[in-house]
């Protein structure tokens, strides 16, 4: 008999990679997706099968983490061996605009999942993974951050996730549930949402290289993040639920990088060198040098003449609208526990990640269909 997994947030970055990973392992995967006015399954369309197909291994249900009746019904029907609770309003900046909704979905939503499992008498059968986050460390109390580092959340998102973290621990201790937290540091990929900083950069750098956009405006260039590849991180989620005992694990690479350096790396990946000048809101990056051979190989000869004319011009600026009311300045994780107990190691380095994202975005920007759809590069929503 195949194992049955239920993934909330299956239409997101991690949900898509995890669904693919579990299907490859022979699972039957059920996913909860929200009703939207447009199709929102782009990341998992390649996995989708019509329900009429024999031995269909991906089944989608309409649902929402703010609706306990709906969640309880779905969990009762699916009777999952494993639940991966990945659904969340996951964009830190927007959580300052929608704090109540964020608390409901990201905080109480976790309680709804745990309570459904308890009320349905599924505790002996169902293991639960909760998508906790390095944002819990916020104003960091220790460097690097590990499982025992005290939390100090710095956004409505992180405060909601703090509730999710502790209610998971509490249900584990109170009801002996197999419920675990993965405290995941930032992880990115070609499927990353377009508003997060790495994807915003790799899209913009690709477009600037092809002459489709003059410059990109960013927020705080000095904050530091410990970035890994989402493919490595969904593997860790799976490993957490394969342990005999539930527990909490930091998942991180142990390398931290500024936003400024990530931008330099993205340009360098396609043969462009940028130099940062100025300070605070007046900081800019100027195009300084082109390695023509690399540019031709990675972007293409037809784009070379146009980019050559831009040497000495500004390609990155700062716009304070992207600053946050309270910032998380530094994240760097110590994943020793996961390395020893889960035998987890990341396979991708930061260089590999930048290469993967740049290759994908350069390709994507060349597709006319994509351009038509996303040609309006509105500043305010990212
Ligand atoms: P993501 O791409 O933003 O995906 C979030 C998913 O949650 C989407 O499928 C979204 O649906 C769904 N969702 C949002 N609100 C919902 C609601 N009220 N009810 C049901 N579904 C809802 O996020 P991700 O990067 O894959 O992250 C997955 C989880 O890990 C999140 O909980 C996030 O907070 C956490 N996390 C992420 C990172 C990271 O660096 N990526 C690090 C630590 C923790 P739509 O597609 O309809 O929007
Ligand atoms: O990419 P970000 O928006 O990710 P953030 O805030 O670190 O949150 C992500 O990682 C968390 C794990 O630590 C997850 F829990 C969460 O769900 C999400 O996936 O911003 C990263 C940094 C911030 O310091 C931000 O101020 O980049 C800085 N930044 C600078 N300019 C920018 C920009 N961020 C965005 N999104 N857009 C900018 O223009």
């Amino acid at each position: 008999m195949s194992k049955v997994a239920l993934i909330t947030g299956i239409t997101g970055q991690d949900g898509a990679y995890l669904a693919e990973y579990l299907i490859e392992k022979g699972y039957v995967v059920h996913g909860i997706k929200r009703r939207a006015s447009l199709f929102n399954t782009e990341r998992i369309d390649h996995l989708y099968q019509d329900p009429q197909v024999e031995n269909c291994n991906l089944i989608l249900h309409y649902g929402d983490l703010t609706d306990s009746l709906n969640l309880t019904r779905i969990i009762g029907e699916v009777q999952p061996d494993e639940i991966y609770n990945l659904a969340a309003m996951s964009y830190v900046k927007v959580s300052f605009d929608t704090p109540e909704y964020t608390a409901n979905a990201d905080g109480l939503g976790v309680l709804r999942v745990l309570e459904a499992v308890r009320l349905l008498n599924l505790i002996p059968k169902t293991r639960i993974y909760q998508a906790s986050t390095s944002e819990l460390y916020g104003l960091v109390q220790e460097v690097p951050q590990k499982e025992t580092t005290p939390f100090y959340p710095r956004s409505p998102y992180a405060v909601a996730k703090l509730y999710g973290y502790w209610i998971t621990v509490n249900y584990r201790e109170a009801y002996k549930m197999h419920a675990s937290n993965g405290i995941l540091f930032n992880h990115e990929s070609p499927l990353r949402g377009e508003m997060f900083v790495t994807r915003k950069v790799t899209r913009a750098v690709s477009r600037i290289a092809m002459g489709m956009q003059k410059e990109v405006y960013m927020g705080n260039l000095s904050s530091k993040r410990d970035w890994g590849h989402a493919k490595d991180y969904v593997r860790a989620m799976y490993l957490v639920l394969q342990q005999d005992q539930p527990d909490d694990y930091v998942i991180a690479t142990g390398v931290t990088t500024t936003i400024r350096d990530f931008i330099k790396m993205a340009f360098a990946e396609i043969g462009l060198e940028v130099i940062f000048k100025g300070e605070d809101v007046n900081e800019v990056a100027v195009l300084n040098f082109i390695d023509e051979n690399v540019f031709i190989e990675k972007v293409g000869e037809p784009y070379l003449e146009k980019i050559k004319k831009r040497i000495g011009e500004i390609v990155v600026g700062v716009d304070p609208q992207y600053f946050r009311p309270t910032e998380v300045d530094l994240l760097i994780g110590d994943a020793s526990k996961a390395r020893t107990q889960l035998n987890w190691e990341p396979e991708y380095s930061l260089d590999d990640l930048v290469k993967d994202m740049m290759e994908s975005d350069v390709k994507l920007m060349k597709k006319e269909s994509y351009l038509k759809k996303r040609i309006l590069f509105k500043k305010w929503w990212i």
Side-chain angles (χ1 to χ4, degrees), residues 301-343:
E301 192 149 20
Y303 303 97
L304 184 62
E305 282 315 305
K306 210 167 176 183
I307 193 76
K308 274 166 81 176
K309 292 191 186 123
R310 299 226 41 217
I311 290 207
E313 288 184 11
I314 292 174
V315 285
V316 181
V318 170
D319 185 334
Q321 73 167 306
Y322 300 116
F323 293 164
R324 293 162 186 196
T326 39
E327 176 63 283
V328 173
D329 293 318
L330 165 70
L331 291 175
I332 177 165
D334 173 357
S336 305
K337 181 175 169 184
R339 284 172 197 263
T340 50
Q341 292 189 25
L342 304 180
N343 206 13

Side-chain angles (χ1 to χ4, degrees), residues 45-80:
D45 283 344
H46 63 294
L47 300 173
Y48 186 76
Q49 297 166 308
D50 284 328
Q52 294 76 17
V53 170
E54 214 178 314
N55 299 323
C56 178
N57 53 16
L58 177 68
I59 299 127
L60 297 179
H61 307 256
Y62 281 111
D64 199 297
L65 271 233
T66 60
D67 183 340
S68 28
L69 292 177
N70 158 274
L71 286 174
T72 308
R73 179 181 53 75
I74 294 171
I75 293 171
E77 281 171 15
V78 171
Q79 300 275 307

Side-chain angles (χ1 to χ4, degrees), residues 129-147:
Y129 172 89
Q130 168 54 21
S132 286
T133 164
S134 50
E135 282 288 307
L136 295 173
Y137 298 118
L139 188 62
V140 298
Q141 304 294 298
E142 187 179 25
V143 179
Q145 297 85 51
K146 50 182 186 281
E147 291 79 3

